[in-house]
Amino acid sequence: MEGASDVWLVPSGLAAVTVPLTALLRPGDQVLTTDALYGPSRRFLHRHLKPRGIDTAFHAADASTDRILSTLTDRTRVLLIESPGSLTFDMADVPALAAACRARGVLTVMDNTWGAGLAFKPLAHGVDVSVQALTKYAGGHSDLLMGSIAVVDDAVGKPIFETLEDNGWRVTSDDAWLALRGLRTLPLRYAEQARSAGVVADWLLARPEVAEVLWPALPGSPAHALWKRDYTGAASLFGVVMQGGTEAAAHALMAALHLFGLGYSWGGFESLITHETGQLSMRASPPAPAGQLLRLHVGLEDPADLIADLEAGLAAWRAAL
């Protein structure tokens, strides 16, 4: 799927991100990444790498390719790419970034969990290291923790392999079998969940309670042209910006739902929802959405049933205002 020369399995998606950074960075180096970075990855950069003499610089989540490249310094060793970015789903021009970084001697590591190694192929677009949380779409059944690290260059792969070997990051054969089971239905699940997500997203866009739906696959999205050029599909994960509201109203909406579970680990068969407004404060330059931010993952349930569930949630939202 990845078109790699080597792929390693690790115990979690977070480990898939942190292992290459541990392997490829040294004291005095710098990593550049998006301000929309996945929270635990951001925590690792601050709590683990910073005390070891490795700095992090953040570029704006919606920065242009030229703006991102202008942020590179002589100390930048790795560009950590997350596209779409967490929560606000900003997209980067990955092929352009990968080519420019390679010309500058900067390595690229991309978290491709949203693309699932299916809708987007980072290595084929020039990225040095492609990582995924197999916990999500590849596992598919919400009963597995695993990540993957894929490379095409042996010189990049060697320190990653040695870091894995020296730290003992392995997975069990039973867990690997569960991931293989999920891969057998991945294309069907990925496509069907995206189709249902489109139905739900269109319905939400027409609701007066909703200000914006953040999903690159949605026509009219700021990232739609880039998504359409590079991707062959879309994850069924998107953000919903409400028209104003309060945290209490957001929690009332979620509490009224029956089909949408409350949980972060998306990519499985079931629909999920989380309240994400508070996480935006982690950013160096927090965005100012029109209202409360919710994140929805659309599973394999009938979209008509999901819409009916959300209708009840929006009624609770209105009552709590």
Side-chain angles (χ1 to χ4, degrees), residues 71-272:
T71 313
L72 296 172
T73 71
D74 292 340
R75 294 176 53 228
T76 307
R77 172 65 173 160
V78 169
L79 175 66
L80 176 58
I81 302 170
E82 188 178 306
S83 183
S86 287
L87 307 183
T88 48
F89 298 88
D90 315 271
M91 292 195 74
D93 189 336
V94 175
L97 287 172
C101 284
R102 188 176 296 274
R104 290 164 169 81
V106 175
L107 296 171
T108 48
V109 177
M110 180 173 176
D111 185 338
N112 190 42
T113 303
W114 197 88
L118 185 69
F120 186 72
K121 311 281 188 181
L123 300 179
H125 287 87
V127 172
D128 292 299
V129 185
S130 174
V131 305
Q132 285 189 61
L134 301 184
T135 305
K136 297 181 169 67
Y137 267 110
H141 295 75
S142 304
D143 56 4
L144 173 69
L145 282 171
M146 193 179 294
S148 65
I149 305 166
V151 301
V152 288
D153 186 340
D154 291 343
V156 175
K158 185 174 185 291
I160 293 173
F161 165 74
E162 291 174 348
T163 300
L164 288 166
E165 187 174 50
D166 292 343
N167 285 277
W169 279 310
R170 306 294 187 194
V171 304
T172 70
S173 54
D174 285 346
D175 283 345
W177 178 85
L178 289 174
L180 181 61
R181 173 203 61 181
L183 286 176
R184 292 180 179 126
T185 59
L186 172 59
L188 294 174
R189 289 185 287 104
Y190 196 85
E192 180 62 18
Q193 288 176 238
R195 185 193 68 80
S196 295
V199 174
V200 174
D202 286 342
W203 180 82
L204 284 166
L205 268 179
R207 296 292 307 197
E209 301 91 344
V210 174
E212 189 178 5
V213 174
L214 308 175
W215 195 40
L218 198 63
S221 163
H224 184 69
L226 200 56
W227 169 82
K228 192 172 183 179
R229 186 194 74 183
D230 292 341
Y231 282 68
T232 60
S236 60
L237 183 78
F238 56 83
V240 178
V241 179
M242 305 299 290
Q243 292 281 10
T246 63
E247 181 176 340
H251 282 262
L253 185 159
M254 294 190 297
L257 301 175
H258 295 286
L259 292 181
F260 282 86
L262 304 181
Y264 282 101
S265 197
W266 48 273
F269 59 89
E270 78 279 66
S271 294
L272 299 171

